[in-house]
């Protein structure tokens, strides 16, 4: 329950930050968390925007790796399989870079790669598909996931507070942009 709340807050904060409403969203999220905690009797420590970014980035990588591992074996298209294999390698490397950047923070941040409910549902849906239906769903998921990741990375790159995470975000933006373009190309 606590983790799900943190992930929902992280996703909404990153989405709001990309729209330029970071302060309002953070205040709203904090108020919503306080109300939820008061209603449920839970005492949850406030999660910093930096921790939220690290968690969201880690979960994004985890989703990319897990969905791409499925595609590497279940896709019917050789182009989709090749893309999937590249995604497993690239997001494994991204995860390592994220961990290094997070560890350099003071105090150190430990990224939590727990998937959101939406990411879990997408994986479940992918597991139920085969053939061209699998390929289409996987590619659609990749385009959406890379769009969301790119928005979060650009936002943190512009306004993040932890220099090592900000550098990570800045360095990863062109890589995620290339992944997004490759995923879009698979749709044609």
């Amino acid at each position: 329950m606590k983790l799900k709340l943190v992930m929902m807050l992280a996703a909404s904060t990153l989405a709001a930050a990309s729209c330029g409403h970071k302060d309002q969203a953070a205040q709203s999220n904090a108020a919503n968390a306080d109300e939820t905690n008061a209603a449920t009797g839970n005492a949850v420590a406030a999660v910093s925007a930096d921790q939220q970014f690290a968690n969201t980035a880690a979960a994004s990588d985890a989703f990319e790796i897990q969905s791409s591992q499925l595609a590497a074996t279940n896709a019917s298209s050789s182009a989709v399989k090749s893309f999937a294999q590249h995604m497993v390698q690239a997001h494994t490397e991204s995860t390592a870079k994220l961990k290094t950047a997070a560890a350099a923070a003071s105090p150190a941040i430990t990224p939590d790669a727990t998937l959101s409910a939406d990411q879990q549902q997408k994986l479940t849906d992918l597991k139920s598909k085969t053939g061209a239906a699998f390929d289409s769903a996987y590619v659609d998921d990749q385009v959406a996931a890379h769009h969301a990741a790119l928005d979060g990375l650009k936002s943190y790159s512009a306004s993040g507070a932890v220099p090592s995470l900000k550098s990570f975000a800045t360095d990863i933006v062109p890589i995620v942009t290339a992944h997004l373009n490759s995923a879009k190309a698979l749709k044609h």
Side-chain angles (χ1 to χ4, degrees):
M1 172 75 179
K2 291 178 190 177
L3 187 53
K4 189 181 279 188
L5 175 64
V6 169
M7 291 305 295
M8 289 181 358
L9 291 174
S12 66
T13 299
L14 283 175
S18 68
C19 296
H21 303 293
K22 184 176 180 182
D23 291 335
Q24 291 173 347
Q27 291 170 355
S28 174
N29 287 340
N32 289 342
D34 289 344
E35 289 172 14
T36 302
N37 291 335
T40 61
N42 291 336
V44 177
V47 176
S48 72
D50 307 308
Q51 181 70 59
Q52 290 175 356
F53 168 76
N55 292 351
T56 302
S60 176
D61 277 344
F63 174 76
E64 294 293 335
I65 291 166
Q66 291 177 39
S67 62
S68 295
Q69 286 170 334
L70 280 173
T73 57
N74 295 350
S76 60
S77 162
S78 61
V80 171
K81 283 185 178 192
S82 178
F83 175 81
Q85 290 167 345
H86 178 67
M87 290 303 96
V88 170
Q89 178 185 0
H91 287 279
T92 299
E93 291 171 4
S94 174
T95 297
K97 290 176 183 176
L98 173 63
K99 287 179 179 178
T100 299
S106 181
I109 293 173
T110 302
D112 180 355
T114 302
L115 299 182
S116 69
D118 183 55
Q119 290 167 325
Q120 285 284 6
Q121 184 60 51
K122 286 180 179 182
L123 280 177
T124 300
D125 290 347
L126 277 176
K127 290 175 184 177
S128 70
K129 297 187 183 319
T130 59
F134 177 92
D135 292 358
S136 179
Y138 170 73
V139 170
D140 288 345
D141 287 349
Q142 292 302 300
V143 169
H146 282 93
H147 263 297
L150 191 56
D151 289 345
L153 290 165
K154 284 180 177 179
S155 176
Y156 197 86
S157 176
S159 62
V162 175
S164 58
L165 287 175
K166 196 170 179 173
S167 178
F168 161 80
T170 301
D171 292 347
I172 296 293
V173 164
I175 295 168
V176 174
T177 301
H179 293 174
L180 175 60
N181 291 336
S182 294
K184 285 180 178 178
L186 290 171
K187 292 182 81 146
H188 301 289

